[in-house]
Amino acid sequence: TMPDRAETPMLDPAWSGKTRWNALFWGKGVENVKIGGRGMIDLSKLDWHARSAIMFESCKDVEVEGVTLNNSPEWTLYFMGCRGIAVRDILLFGYRQNSDGICLADSAEAVVENCFARSGDDLFEVKSMDANCTVAIQNILFRRCNGWPDKARGMGIIYESVRDISDIRFEDCSIGFASAVWQDELGSLVVILGGGATVTDILFEDIELYSNALYPVNVTLYDISAAQVDDIRFKDLDIRGGEPVRVANHSTVGGKIKNLYFDNCSRNGMPVKTYARLGLKLTNMEKADILLNQSGDNG
């Protein structure tokens, strides 16, 4: 009989020491590619950190549509240094640590719409990880996406931030149940940064936050972050429950947060017209940097 074919590992071992391979569907430097259909990619039987489900690196004009992605052992749907991204009608499920949902890193000109994610890590995220990448991180839209973050964060700009990030929008979305409470850097809508980028012109608009075990909104700089955060807008949020909105600057290296706008938001059906109604929890911040019903729209 013929011996079983063995695939050679293609990536360095993960920090966990686990053996890793390239993503099941992987493209580098390709253009005009589409993955679509109504099938399921199920990676349940793979070991933790073995591989991602789908990854595109340094690609242009890529579409992923209609697929169900189940139990990826590492980041599920991941774009790195790409332009012209379209992701539609994705169902994404996972339970393992690091099974992040839809991640756009160092990418631009992207639309992610009509997707649902429930996973063991962050769900809908923008970040910057490659200091040498030349793609300006901008013009990214998440629209009509719904999340159920059991263990981490719902949607936003999340941790890795080595280059500037701007013009990112999350619109007409919802977070059903945000259950995680294991650290303060969690929440449904977040700008949580550990790098030194300038992060500006970020919009969260028309979003329902149904159940928040910790924070419905969390804007935080880690102590190692020199990030300059400016013009972050939360507009038409429907916040349920009484958990606080957290804004915290723990930076020890000059990071700043200013001009956070909360426009036409509500809590439990009541308009947010005061800081008390918003439920602010501030650390190393001043209320003057949190602006209620003073639009931060740039035209």
Side-chain angles (χ1 to χ4, degrees):
T1 60
M2 294 292 292
D4 291 338
R5 289 178 293 176
E7 181 183 357
T8 302
M10 298 297 291
L11 300 171
D12 293 334
W15 56 265
S16 60
K18 297 291 187 178
T19 303
R20 302 168 69 219
W21 292 265
N22 281 328
L24 182 64
F25 291 90
W26 177 67
K28 183 174 183 179
V30 299
E31 297 186 14
N32 300 312
V33 174
K34 180 174 182 177
I35 297 174
R38 290 295 181 267
M40 175 183 288
I41 300 173
D42 188 349
L43 283 70
S44 297
K45 293 186 177 181
L46 295 183
D47 195 10
W48 185 39
H49 286 165
R51 66 176 5 131
S52 297
I54 300 173
M55 178 183 175
F56 288 97
E57 180 181 354
S58 303
C59 298
K60 183 178 179 181
D61 297 330
V62 176
E63 295 184 46
V64 182
E65 181 176 7
V67 182
T68 298
L69 304 174
N70 195 49
N71 287 336
S72 178
E74 200 168 60
W75 292 12
T76 305
L77 177 51
Y78 174 34
F79 298 87
M80 179 72 184
C82 296
R83 294 180 181 271
I85 300 164
V87 178
R88 303 184 183 91
D89 302 318
I90 296 298
L91 291 174
L92 189 153
F93 302 95
Y95 68 91
R96 288 180 272 199
Q97 182 183 359
N98 306 125
S99 62
D100 295 49
I102 299 173
C103 177
L104 278 61
D106 295 285
S107 294
E109 301 156 22
V111 176
V112 178
E113 58 185 350
N114 302 325
C115 296
F116 174 85
R118 182 181 184 184
S119 179
D121 219 304
D122 304 321
L123 299 183
F124 301 99
E125 55 190 312
V126 175
K127 57 181 66 194
S128 171
M129 303 174 64
D130 184 357
N132 297 315
C133 183
T134 60
V135 177
I137 308 165
Q138 61 187 15
N139 189 17
I140 294 174
L141 170 63
F142 291 81
R143 176 171 57 201
R144 295 188 297 275
C145 291
N146 305 294
W148 188 330
D150 285 305
K151 299 180 183 178
R153 291 157 281 232
M155 54 185 62
I157 319 301
I158 301 179
Y159 193 70
E160 292 93 343
S161 43
V162 300
R163 297 192 303 119
D164 294 350
I165 299 172
S166 66
D167 186 20
I168 313 297
R169 292 164 289 157
F170 299 84
E171 299 179 357
D172 193 15
C173 296
S174 70
I175 299 296
F177 297 90
S179 307
V181 296
W182 55 274
Q183 65 164 234
D184 259 354
E185 288 71 36
L186 296 168
S188 295
L189 307 181
V190 305
V191 178
I192 304 285
L193 304 176
T198 293
V199 176
T200 186
D201 189 15
I202 312 298
L203 173 64
F204 299 86
E205 182 175 15
D206 192 17
I207 299 178
E208 180 186 26
L209 306 173
Y210 181 75
S211 177
N212 310 277
L214 196 58
Y215 303 117
V217 174
N218 193 345
V219 180
T220 295
L221 301 186
Y222 280 85
D223 57 350
I224 60 173
S225 175
Q228 304 299 304
V229 177
D230 188 10
D231 189 19
I232 312 298
R233 289 160 287 152
F234 300 93
K235 184 176 182 181
D236 298 321
L237 302 188
D238 178 7
I239 304 172
R240 310 295 177 89
E243 293 72 24
V245 166
R246 181 184 195 238
V247 184
N249 184 357
H250 296 294
S251 174
T252 60
V253 288
K256 301 291 184 183
I257 301 172
K258 62 180 181 179
N259 295 328
L260 306 186
Y261 297 89
F262 290 84
D263 289 335
N264 196 38
C265 298
S266 66
R267 264 204 187 263
N268 300 314
M270 298 293 291
V272 170
K273 296 182 179 181
T274 66
Y275 293 115
R277 172 67 68 179
L278 182 60
L280 277 176
K281 178 182 179 181
L282 300 180
T283 302
N284 301 325
M285 291 292 303
E286 301 293 334
K287 284 185 179 179
D289 290 315
I290 317 297
L291 305 172
L292 297 183
N293 299 310
Q294 301 178 42
S295 177
D297 292 346
N298 293 328

